[in-house]
Amino acid sequence: MISLYGVKISSRLLLGTALYPSPQIMADAVKASGTEIVTVSLRREGVQPGAGASFWRLVEGLGVKVLPNTAGCHTVKEAVTTAKMAREVFGTNWIKLELIADNDTLCPDVVALVEAARILSAEGFKVFPYCTEDLSVAERLLRAGCEVLMPWGAPIGTGLGLNNPYGLKAMRAHFDDVPLIIDAGLGAPSHAALAMEMGFDAVLLNTAVARAGDPELMANAFAKALEAGRLAFDAEPMLPNDMAAPSTPVLGKAVF
């Protein structure tokens, strides 16, 4: 169980709600994943009655906590405005803060991210910042009021897994008492298991499930991988050796 801004969460999987073949398939995947938190990207037309409203009702019916996000925002003003709209629509002060610097890599704009996090935290938001594994940026986000950090595994939608294990391990070791959620870039359940084995608290993913041949089955696979990875971390895995070491004792063997 993990605590995010004082809220106890049992599932270590956060799931996105975009890109699915249909709303019903999305709902089935959410249920199969066992997640307790889904992310929803606010679009301005969703505030008005229409197709968006029925989607929000479907999400509400899932019985999970909604984490709105500012996906697609490129400026501090745009992100702050979107966050305020999301608070009105969804009735929550939780916000996943995304500020994109480059459309090809979807890399976070870390300078604008820190400024937006400072503004939103001062206005009562509980900010979940999508960031890089840069330790200095992480320090600034914490000073800005964030209590959770969401470093990327790889660029959004690539499915490459954990691109910088060294940097992520350093981040986990440096911020040992801060909830860290791997966000973006995971493509297979094994990637999620590795994140858990490294000691991360949770993962957030979307494309790997939504674009799978069977999203419901893949959601369940990720849930099981996260459980296995966390159990492995708690069990304290053996350290790797440079040399082979026999598992069967050589003392007392038969001599001919």
Side-chain angles (χ1 to χ4, degrees):
M1 183 171 290
I2 59 175
S3 178
L4 304 175
Y5 286 105
V7 177
K8 300 292 185 180
I9 303 296
S10 297
S11 173
R12 295 181 182 273
L13 175 59
L14 287 67
L15 199 60
T17 55
L19 303 177
Y20 291 86
S22 72
Q24 187 57 54
I25 290 175
M26 179 274 293
D28 292 340
V30 169
K31 293 174 184 175
S33 73
T35 185
E36 297 168 57
I37 300 174
V38 298
T39 61
V40 176
S41 177
L42 179 70
R43 289 293 178 260
R44 286 166 175 78
E45 61 267 26
V47 180
Q48 304 300 327
S54 61
F55 178 77
W56 308 143
R57 285 196 295 271
L58 175 63
V59 171
E60 287 179 331
L62 295 173
V64 294
K65 189 170 182 62
V66 173
L67 174 60
N69 67 53
T70 62
C73 292
H74 291 79
T75 68
V76 171
K77 182 178 180 180
E78 187 179 11
V80 170
T81 300
T82 301
K84 291 179 178 180
M85 292 173 63
R87 181 159 60 181
E88 292 297 321
V89 172
F90 298 108
T92 178
N93 58 5
W94 280 23
I95 192 72
K96 181 193 170 191
L97 181 60
E98 293 184 33
L99 265 162
I100 301 303
D102 177 77
N103 285 329
D104 291 328
T105 64
L106 299 180
C107 177
D109 183 336
V110 294
V111 176
L113 183 68
V114 172
E115 176 62 14
R118 182 189 63 78
I119 294 171
L120 291 172
S121 295
E123 296 197 19
F125 283 90
K126 309 301 183 184
V127 180
F128 294 69
Y130 163 61
C131 59
T132 66
E133 64 275 23
D134 186 289
L135 298 184
S136 63
V137 171
E139 290 279 11
R140 287 173 170 80
L141 286 168
L142 293 174
R143 288 200 297 268
C146 300
E147 296 180 14
V148 177
L149 300 175
M150 303 183 73
W152 64 348
I156 295 171
T158 61
L160 293 173
L162 305 179
N163 263 3
N164 184 8
Y166 172 81
L168 290 170
K169 287 178 181 178
M171 188 178 197
R172 177 69 285 178
H174 191 76
F175 301 106
D176 60 344
D177 59 347
V178 176
L180 299 180
I181 301 172
I182 294 292
D183 178 17
L186 303 187
S190 57
H191 299 157
L194 179 57
M196 291 295 100
E197 289 174 16
M198 291 167 61
F200 283 87
D201 297 286
V203 303
L204 191 157
L205 53 92
N206 189 162
T207 309
V209 170
R211 291 305 194 205
D214 187 331
E216 184 177 356
L217 190 61
M218 186 60 77
N220 186 247
F222 268 101
K224 286 182 166 62
L226 285 164
E227 182 180 0
R230 185 65 193 189
L231 286 172
F233 173 76
D234 290 338
E236 301 181 7
M238 65 172 284
L239 297 175
N241 297 313
D242 291 330
M243 300 293 292
S247 57
T248 301
V250 296
L251 293 175
K253 69 177 182 178
V255 178
F256 299 97

